[in-house]
Amino acid sequence: MEKPITAAMLSCEGYELTDREKYLFSKSNPLGITLFSRNIKDNVQVKKLVEDIKNTINRDDVLIAVDEEGGRVSRLKELRGYSYLDQETLTNFPTKYSKIQATLISDELNNLGININYSPVVDKKDACQSKVLENRCFDGDDKKIISYAKALADTYIKMGVCPCIKHIPGHFSTSKDPHLNVIESNISIDEIEKQIIYLKAFSNYPLAMTSHIKLNKIDAINPTTISKKVVTKIIRNTIGFNGFLLSDAINMHAINGNLLDKIKSALGAGLDAVCYCAGKYNEMYEICNNNLFMSEKALIRFANIKKVINNKKNAVDIDTLRASYLKDMKEYLNKEYSYDATEVLHQMQKKGDF
């Protein structure tokens, strides 16, 4: 009898698995592991870590994920010595460069054994949005978002990497950082539905990540990630998303309550799994010892992710493609940024703030 899969993308503490992480992962059979900057030193080390994770969990469909959007959200920057273009900058060029960038990133991920990229970001660019999304959004125009996001996502799929559409249903005009604050919007249901029409273009992708926004006109108590009303009415019905639904980092302060309650609420709301990012053993132990297993529906949706990561990779002359890309994009690489949103939680953890 197959072991049930714990409905969580977990994380690890450092550059290699500790003995107790190995024991916990082998016993609990998590969906997969997300890697962060604290787990990435050099190519040899990352490949070894990924191999150890896969051997420890001992499933041929273990998900290994990373945030490699380009720009300031670039976990692999130190391995190559530069960061790719952020999504906002990509829109200044034909979509062929988005496809090239996704091809180059996919090749790197394939070589490391990573099969999930938390990209592309499909939030709308907004003058009032939080700095958490600065430079990470393509545009405020629906057609432009669809065109550029699909260029990235479809290329990842062709290269055997599963993209993760994020963040649905979006962050709207919220100005706070969900890592640190509760975020909410009072816009009407009609306005919500009007603003998210473009997201229907992504309804058939295999994987998407929720935003933690609280849409008060639909559910004045619960943020999207733990709101059955929003998940059902907006994500599953209005947007029509029928793929695997993963939470954004469940540790974020945008959702109040203790960790276990948040995870149970997210799964109860209709999410297929949660993303736990802090790498704290005691918290992961709690997650793994509460029978938080993937549902039958989640397993069916998971099958479509597996189809992608088992794709035969496109044959590409990577060296020539990279040389051409670096020549054309030279002046746009290594842009300096002041805020790396997805590492905020790790820095808070190091300071003992949560």
Side-chain angles (χ1 to χ4, degrees):
M1 183 176 179
E2 291 187 1
K3 188 189 298 186
I5 299 175
T6 296
M9 291 294 295
L10 298 179
S11 51
C12 50
E13 185 178 4
Y15 294 140
E16 58 185 35
L17 292 182
T18 64
D19 287 342
R20 61 180 186 173
E21 285 174 338
K22 288 181 180 179
Y23 180 79
L24 182 63
F25 296 164
S26 68
K27 293 295 183 181
S28 63
N29 195 28
L31 174 62
I33 304 294
T34 302
L35 302 182
F36 295 90
S37 295
R38 66 178 185 267
N39 309 124
I40 296 170
K41 180 173 64 174
D42 56 53
N43 283 282
V44 173
Q45 170 268 321
V46 176
K47 287 184 74 170
K48 176 66 163 57
L49 175 60
V50 170
E51 288 173 3
D52 285 350
I53 291 169
K54 291 180 177 179
N55 289 336
T56 296
I57 299 174
N58 195 26
R59 278 196 341 263
D60 60 7
D61 56 12
V62 174
L63 302 185
I64 308 294
V66 73
D67 287 281
E68 189 57 39
E69 299 172 12
R72 60 186 164 90
V73 183
S74 177
R75 300 292 159 254
L76 305 181
K77 176 181 178 180
E78 299 306 318
L79 302 189
R80 73 177 81 90
Y82 57 87
S83 61
Y84 291 106
L85 274 61
D86 60 58
Q87 291 190 177
E88 184 179 50
T89 304
L90 278 173
T91 62
N92 295 324
F93 303 95
T95 55
K96 76 170 188 177
Y97 286 101
S98 296
K99 295 175 182 178
I100 292 171
Q101 180 164 306
T103 300
L104 296 176
I105 290 172
S106 296
D107 181 68
E108 294 174 1
L109 299 184
N110 286 331
N111 289 335
L112 294 170
I114 298 170
N115 49 27
I116 302 288
N117 190 6
Y118 294 144
S119 172
V121 175
V122 296
D123 295 81
K124 280 187 180 180
K125 183 179 176 181
D126 189 293
C128 299
Q129 71 190 178
S130 167
K131 63 180 179 178
V132 76
L133 289 172
E134 284 179 3
N135 309 112
R136 298 173 64 197
C137 302
F138 291 112
D139 203 85
D141 177 73
D142 293 1
K143 291 182 179 179
K144 206 165 186 179
I145 297 170
I146 292 169
S147 176
Y148 280 88
K150 280 182 170 287
L152 289 174
D154 291 347
T155 303
Y156 287 131
I157 289 172
K158 289 177 183 177
M159 293 294 292
V161 172
C162 186
C164 182
I165 306 299
K166 66 183 188 187
H167 312 82
I168 61 173
H171 286 91
F172 301 90
S173 296
T174 52
S175 60
K176 295 180 179 179
D177 182 346
H179 294 80
L180 309 174
N181 307 279
V182 173
I183 59 171
E184 57 189 327
S185 174
N186 290 312
I187 62 174
S188 68
I189 294 176
D190 287 346
E191 184 61 24
I192 291 169
E193 293 181 342
K194 179 182 176 182
Q195 287 198 32
I196 65 174
I197 287 174
Y198 76 101
L199 292 175
K200 292 183 178 181
F202 304 102
S203 61
N204 291 322
Y205 282 87
L207 177 63
M209 178 179 284
T210 60
S211 60
H212 291 325
I213 191 167
K214 185 154 69 75
L215 298 171
N216 289 329
K217 298 302 181 183
I218 300 174
D219 189 336
I221 299 173
N222 302 305
T224 291
T225 299
I226 61 171
S227 172
K228 191 168 186 177
K229 290 179 182 178
V230 177
V231 170
T232 301
K233 178 178 177 60
I234 300 299
I235 295 178
R236 294 301 188 192
N237 292 341
T238 301
I239 296 173
F241 181 71
N242 55 22
F244 194 100
L245 194 58
L246 180 70
S247 79
D248 202 346
I250 203 69
N251 318 76
M252 289 184 185
H253 290 183
I255 306 177
N256 291 320
N258 69 62
L259 178 65
L260 201 58
D261 285 345
K262 291 196 286 187
I263 294 173
K264 289 179 179 179
S265 295
L267 299 178
L271 270 66
D272 297 304
V274 299
C275 189
Y276 171 82
C277 303
K280 287 187 174 182
Y281 177 81
N282 291 341
E283 291 184 341
M284 290 193 293
Y285 182 88
E286 186 177 24
I287 295 169
C288 294
N289 283 277
N290 272 276
N291 298 323
L292 301 172
F293 301 126
M294 280 168 51
S295 68
E296 288 298 322
K297 286 185 178 179
L299 291 170
I300 292 170
R301 294 169 182 141
F302 180 38
N304 289 321
I305 296 175
K306 291 192 281 186
K307 288 178 183 178
V308 173
I309 64 178
N310 288 325
N311 276 352
K312 183 178 180 181
K313 281 65 172 173
N314 275 13
V316 179
D317 184 349
I318 290 294
D319 291 340
T320 299
L321 198 64
R322 183 180 291 109
S324 174
Y325 174 90
L326 293 179
K327 179 182 177 182
D328 292 346
M329 298 290 112
K330 183 178 180 180
E331 64 180 290
Y332 303 100
L333 302 175
N334 289 325
K335 184 176 178 180
E336 293 295 325
Y337 303 93
S338 60
Y339 189 74
D340 182 353
T342 54
E343 282 295 314
V344 167
L345 287 174
H346 178 49
Q347 297 304 320
M348 291 170 64
Q349 178 193 3
K350 287 175 69 175
K351 294 176 183 177
D353 291 341
F354 79 98

